[in-house]
Amino acid sequence: QWDGYAPSRARLFRHLADNRIDNTVVLTGDIHSGWCNDLAFDPWDPAGAYDPVTGRGVIGVEFVSPAVSSPGPIPDPAEAIPTAAVVRATSPHMKYVDLYRRGYGLVDVDAERVQGEIWHVSTVDAVSSSQQFSAGFVNESGANGLRPASGPSPARSGTDPA
């Protein structure tokens, strides 16, 4: 998690900003929960360097994949849902937070945009192909910040590597 590496995070963000490195996407996992975030130096800065609506101050975007086999940090939805709502309400850079469901992340990239998606599975206790699209966010090339996707990425034909 970024909060455990504040000096490293600051150096990375400064390097990206100073060198005008755009379209940075960070893929994260191993925290057993799903998140979609704008990355900004200080999203709580009262001076307003970060604007969650326009994307001003965004250094990059981050997609955090939930875990398939491990439970979330708050396994009870009655506790996890309101906790996630508080996190979202107090953290303008966090566009999506899920603290209890299991699943996986999908990232669809082309020359115009990157779309990160969070998918959840109905069970890991039995064989099942049941899955649910829970959230998707897009960052367009040359733009700053995440915006909600209209739905899952379209299936692509002709991508069989064989």
Side-chain angles (χ1 to χ4, degrees), residues 36 63 104-108 115-119 133 135-137 151-154:
C36 300
F63 300 109
Y104 63 94
L106 182 139
V107 179
D108 184 28
Q115 178 165 322
E117 301 175 4
I118 304 293
W119 289 79
F133 173 78
F137 287 87
S153 295

Side-chain angles (χ1 to χ4, degrees), residues 90-156:
T90 59
S91 304
H93 62 297
M94 294 180 175
K95 307 301 182 181
Y96 176 84
V97 178
D98 184 285
L99 300 171
Y100 74 98
R101 291 183 286 179
R102 296 177 183 185
Y104 63 94
L106 182 139
V107 179
D108 184 28
V109 181
D110 62 30
E112 288 80 37
R113 57 98 179 110
V114 60
Q115 178 165 322
E117 301 175 4
I118 304 293
W119 289 79
H120 289 112
V121 296
S122 58
T123 183
V124 296
D125 297 324
V127 175
S128 172
S129 62
S130 176
Q131 58 186 345
Q132 173 191 9
F133 173 78
S134 295
F137 287 87
V138 174
N139 189 85
E140 295 176 354
S141 180
N144 291 324
L146 293 174
R147 64 172 176 76
S150 60
S153 295
R156 297 188 184 201

Side-chain angles (χ1 to χ4, degrees), residues 12-100:
L12 173 63
F13 285 13
R14 177 58 42 217
H15 177 79
L16 294 171
D18 289 350
N19 293 284
R20 295 188 173 135
I21 299 172
D22 293 328
N23 301 322
T24 300
V25 177
V26 175
L27 304 176
T28 308
D30 202 26
I31 61 170
H32 305 184
S33 50
W35 307 70
C36 300
N37 304 318
D38 285 342
L39 298 177
F41 280 101
D42 183 355
W44 300 281
D45 180 3
Y50 167 66
D51 184 335
V53 176
T54 66
R56 181 175 42 83
V58 173
I59 301 300
V61 299
E62 177 182 35
F63 300 109
V64 181
S65 177
V68 171
S69 59
S70 298
I74 305 177
D76 179 4
E79 182 183 352
I81 292 170
T83 300
V86 168
V87 169
R88 281 272 305 113
T90 59
S91 304
H93 62 297
M94 294 180 175
K95 307 301 182 181
Y96 176 84
V97 178
D98 184 285
L99 300 171
Y100 74 98

